[in-house]
Amino acid sequence: MEVALPGAVDKAALSIPVRHFDLEATLDSGQVFHWQRLGNGFAGAIGELPVWMAQTGESVLEVSGPGAPAVAGYLGLDHPVEEIWRSFPIGDAVLGRALAFSPGLRILRQPAWECLATFITSSLKQVAQIRRISLAIRARFGKALNVRGCDVHAYPAPEELAEAGETALRECGMGYRARSLHLAALRLAANEASLDAMAAIESDEELLDELRRFHGVGDKIANCVMLFGFGRLGSFPVDVWIERTLRRHYGKALGEEAPLARVREFASGHFGPYGGYAQQYLFHHARRGPGA
DNA sequence: ATGCAGGTCCTTT
DNA sequence: AAAGGACCTGCA
């Protein structure tokens, strides 16, 4: 047990000015699943760095812990949101309402591996269950960390999950997804694929194809990883929520019996170069907004 | 209790 | 190419 010197806490604490930012909406918008409420903020880890963050005013963020310097990048505070809003299709009232509901929502910049792994476990699962699975994997296989007296865990590296084995993963409550997660961990641990190499792929289309080569990663999950883990802000994941929203509100442009592929094609064209942001506003509005 | 949930894969037309 | 069924698990 080590006694903190006066100033030691302050050294790892930061106060960050923010604009157009809403921490709670961002962490509750289905991009990430491991942050825990602690005091008036949230405790968790960015990669292997534990951190606590709280929005103490509309325009100020208080953060502390070893991960504090990584917070701004993680939360996408440098994203040009006003430019993003201007890029949206003019006169789209549906998107306008979703944006007005949570303009402070940001697309996170998550470490690619934990993003890929978490979304592999997300198929056909509700958000609460994805969270349960994510926390179970971290608690059982991840590095134990501490921030402000709160125990948190890093996401285990591919090598650790490869070593753990499919059966142990299954015990974390992920069912048949355990096989896909284990296969992905094995491939990365054996250097048969490299997420760093994928990050360097310029073409979004090529990156999508690479991601889809992982077992259990189809179009939807690949787009989530592109958006939340590789900063490809034009990626537009179409899940059942978004599909319902699009069919309901853009039905005229889509046609009555448009197949899912047609819905995806429409979305990636209609919403433009920052379609991922549009998707996130629409998704959060559909889940948390009035009347749904 | 039976159905369904941030999909994807495999098989059959 | 397109449609249909299976798949783990937990919660309503």
Side-chain angles (χ1 to χ4, degrees):
Chain A
M1 191 66 177
E2 168 183 344
V3 177
L5 296 169
V9 170
D10 291 340
K11 212 172 176 183
L14 283 175
S15 180
I16 306 175
V18 292
R19 285 198 65 195
H20 307 310
F21 182 72
D22 183 337
L23 180 63
E24 182 163 351
T26 298
L27 296 183
D28 180 44
S29 64
Q31 306 177 56
V32 71
F33 306 90
H34 73 279
W35 293 93
Q36 315 174 40
R37 284 186 185 281
L38 179 63
N40 58 335
F42 300 86
I46 299 175
E48 300 222 322
L49 304 174
V51 67
W52 176 84
M53 40 195 193
Q55 188 156 18
T56 51
E58 188 174 331
S59 60
V60 60
L61 219 52
E62 303 290 343
V63 303
S64 64
V71 164
Y74 182 78
L75 296 177
L77 297 181
D78 58 321
H79 286 161
V81 288
E82 294 181 359
E83 177 190 328
I84 289 168
W85 297 343
R86 286 195 298 269
S87 78
F88 288 159
I90 293 179
D92 188 326
V94 176
L95 179 55
R97 282 195 295 276
L99 171 56
F101 178 67
S102 55
L105 202 51
R106 293 296 172 104
I107 300 293
L108 298 174
R109 254 192 213 97
Q110 300 181 53
W113 161 242
E114 62 183 70
C115 184
L116 171 65
T118 303
F119 276 94
I120 284 176
T121 65
S122 77
S123 83
L124 217 49
K125 281 285 182 195
Q126 301 177 123
V127 170
Q129 296 180 45
I130 302 168
R131 176 178 169 80
R132 235 178 42 78
I133 294 166
S134 170
L135 289 172
I137 294 171
R138 287 171 181 270
R140 178 155 173 185
F141 304 110
K143 184 176 180 183
L145 305 167
N146 189 283
V147 59
R148 289 198 159 208
C150 182
D151 289 323
V152 301
H153 295 266
Y155 201 92
E159 292 76 14
E160 299 173 280
L161 294 191
E163 168 74 17
E166 182 181 331
T167 305
L169 293 179
R170 202 169 264 260
E171 287 164 6
C172 296
M174 72 188 77
Y176 63 85
R177 302 157 193 82
R179 175 163 176 260
S180 300
L181 179 57
H182 189 228
L183 286 172
L186 282 172
R187 257 184 76 191
L188 292 168
N191 272 320
E192 290 164 9
S194 158
L195 295 177
D196 288 338
M198 289 187 201
I201 297 175
E202 281 189 39
S203 152
D204 287 354
E205 204 168 321
E206 269 182 54
L207 177 55
L208 187 76
D209 287 341
E210 278 303 307
L211 287 168
R212 291 193 50 151
R213 291 180 58 204
F214 287 103
H215 190 273
V217 178
D219 194 88
K220 188 271 175 182
I221 291 176
N223 272 288
C224 285
V225 178
M226 301 249 307
L227 183 57
F228 307 134
F230 285 104
R232 307 300 171 106
L233 300 184
S235 297
F236 195 105
V238 177
D239 60 4
V240 292
W241 290 85
I242 287 293
E243 187 184 354
R244 273 197 291 266
T245 299
L246 294 181
R247 286 188 190 282
R248 177 161 166 65
H249 297 292
Y250 300 83
K252 223 175 287 177
L254 280 168
E256 284 299 320
E257 304 269 312
L260 181 55
R262 170 77 191 105
V263 176
R264 291 200 165 108
E265 184 190 25
F266 165 78
S268 51
H270 177 72
F271 295 103
Y274 293 110
Y277 259 92
Q279 183 273 161
Q280 205 59 24
Y281 295 132
L282 290 167
F283 179 75
H284 194 242
H285 185 58
R287 277 186 71 231
R288 299 293 195 211

